[in-house]
Amino acid sequence: AAQLIQDRISLDRRVFVIVPQMEIFNEWMKVLIEHGLEPGYINDEGIRGKNRDVYVCMALSLVNNVALLPESIYPDEIITDEMQHSLACSWESIYRYFPNALRIGLTATLYHGSLRSFEHLYTDVVQTISKSAAIAQGYITKPLLVVPEKWCEYVPKNGDDFDREAQSEILGNAQIIGNVIDFYGRTFAGKPVIVPCSTHEHAKMMCEEFAKEGWLFEHLHSELPKNMRKHILRNVAAGRNNGICTVGIGIEGMSIPGLYGVLWLRRTLSPIIWTQFNGR
């Protein structure tokens, strides 16, 4: 993507990259700086960087600041990372504000839970590699599914997905926690993993239960300050913890260096959540 942006800049095109969360924002900034592109950015600090060729933008921050942008830095092209968010009203308002900008969307999950079409926003689909081909060529691993059968039928649905509060109570049972922690030690042997949990309280509790057995897991969530979220991810990369428990942070679009696996502690009917979490 950085090479693509570099090519477009050589054609005198200004590029905005729109992202949904801070961790993905940081990753884009890091990669673009490494490529010598000197990106500007738009986030909760405001608009930073004068007359840059590329800006990395937090979506909601761009919405809040779009009227302040001078026309001289309007984008010629917009790259939307995690473009499954494109159908949200805030994101569509960005596209309407810059109607002449060419749009490119990047995603591993080209669908939306509402089943609405993306055809009014994007005209063509370019698939670089299929999931089966990626597994066959060794780029990603085939999932190993371990399901406690006696709990499969116990989780009720709430709308289109499983009830997260209900499954939090079921998976929070002391007997199940013990099995999960024992399984982690036998299967992952202390390697860093990401643990998708049902609720904030469930994630916090799991960190505490892992700690009782001598493992260090950290709770990654949106209420933490930005520097603490970065610190936790650096700990994973450096092998200073055994992993992270989370509900939504880390679910999509970001590399987590040092991560060895995904240990699911929630059920989901969402193909987006399933595919994105496994993609870490």
Side-chain angles (χ1 to χ4, degrees), residues 146-158:
V146 181
V147 181
E149 292 292 339
K150 68 177 183 177
W151 298 112
C152 284
E153 304 300 325
Y154 286 19
V155 181
K157 289 180 63 176
N158 184 355

Side-chain angles (χ1 to χ4, degrees), residues 86-192:
S86 294
L87 296 177
C89 294
S90 54
W91 298 60
E92 290 209 59
S93 70
I94 295 171
Y95 306 141
R96 287 195 298 270
Y97 200 89
F98 304 114
N100 297 322
L102 178 70
R103 288 190 290 270
I104 304 172
L106 308 176
T107 185
T109 47
L110 187 60
Y111 35 74
H112 191 269
S114 68
L115 301 182
R116 289 174 56 201
S117 171
F118 294 93
E119 290 182 353
H120 64 295
L121 298 175
Y122 304 99
T123 57
D124 301 282
V125 177
V126 179
Q127 181 169 313
T128 55
I129 189 171
S130 68
K131 190 183 300 182
S132 58
I135 291 173
Q137 296 175 34
Y139 291 111
I140 59 177
T141 57
K142 187 176 181 179
L144 169 66
L145 303 183
V146 181
V147 181
E149 292 292 339
K150 68 177 183 177
W151 298 112
C152 284
E153 304 300 325
Y154 286 19
V155 181
K157 289 180 63 176
N158 184 355
D160 294 330
D161 205 347
F162 292 111
D163 189 298
R164 293 196 300 166
E165 296 286 346
Q167 66 176 306
S168 175
E169 293 180 11
I170 293 172
L171 297 176
N173 181 280
Q175 177 187 353
I176 299 302
I177 288 175
N179 290 344
V180 165
I181 295 173
D182 178 65
F183 176 82
Y184 168 74
R186 288 185 290 106
T187 307
F188 293 101
K191 294 285 189 178

Side-chain angles (χ1 to χ4, degrees), residues 14 79 235:
R14 177 175 284 106
I79 295 179
N235 284 346

Side-chain angles (χ1 to χ4, degrees), residues 210-260:
F210 275 114
K212 291 178 183 178
E213 299 299 322
W215 303 114
L216 175 58
F217 277 75
E218 299 185 79
H219 184 191
L220 185 64
H221 57 88
S222 59
E223 295 176 10
L224 291 173
K226 288 188 289 187
N227 63 326
M228 182 57 68
R229 287 161 66 170
K230 291 181 182 178
H231 177 72
I232 290 174
L233 293 175
R234 285 197 295 267
N235 284 346
V236 174
R240 290 192 291 263
N241 61 24
N242 301 111
I244 49 182
C245 296
T246 184
V247 177
I249 301 299
I251 190 174
E252 63 184 2
M254 54 185 288
S255 298
I256 306 181
L259 198 64
Y260 192 79

Side-chain angles (χ1 to χ4, degrees), residues 253-267:
M254 54 185 288
S255 298
I256 306 181
L259 198 64
Y260 192 79
V262 185
L263 180 58
W264 281 89
L265 291 189
R266 61 171 289 191
R267 298 181 70 193

